Amino acid sequence: MTAKHQAATYDMGDGTRVTCTTSTPWVAGAQPPGTPSPDCGHVYERPGTYTITATHRWNLSWTAMGQSGSFPLTNTASLVVTVGELASVVVAR
């Protein structure tokens, strides 16, 4: 059996829906905090609590005892996140 990821759709909880067909693996320390996503990102305009729902679509192919086939598979999960606000002041001297 082989599973190929087709896409991921994220309902960001603020009325925005983002669909991603590629993604870059996360590597600790590879990008400084605040760096935009290279593939698929979202910026919240207001602080608050949001429910993010991710739906992944896969295509599964199989072969066994001279037979083969394929079928789609979808899985969905949700997570509640709290988004804060960061403010800073830069003083030129």
Side-chain angles (χ1 to χ4, degrees), residues 12-25:
M12 302 307 292
D14 65 352
T16 303
R17 183 170 279 182
V18 179
T19 298
C20 310
T21 55
T22 61
S23 61
T24 300

Side-chain angles (χ1 to χ4, degrees), residues 29-93:
Q31 296 292 326
T35 301
S37 168
D39 305 306
C40 189
H42 177 66
V43 175
Y44 287 95
E45 297 296 323
R46 293 178 173 38
T49 301
Y50 300 94
T51 300
I52 300 173
T53 302
T55 301
H56 290 263
R57 294 186 310 276
W58 300 81
N59 186 48
L60 279 70
S61 301
W62 60 272
T63 302
M65 300 184 344
Q67 303 293 316
S68 64
S70 65
F71 58 94
L73 175 69
T74 301
N75 62 324
T76 301
S78 295
L79 176 70
V80 176
V81 298
T82 300
V83 175
E85 180 175 5
L86 178 63
S88 64
V89 176
V90 177
V91 177
R93 291 184 182 225

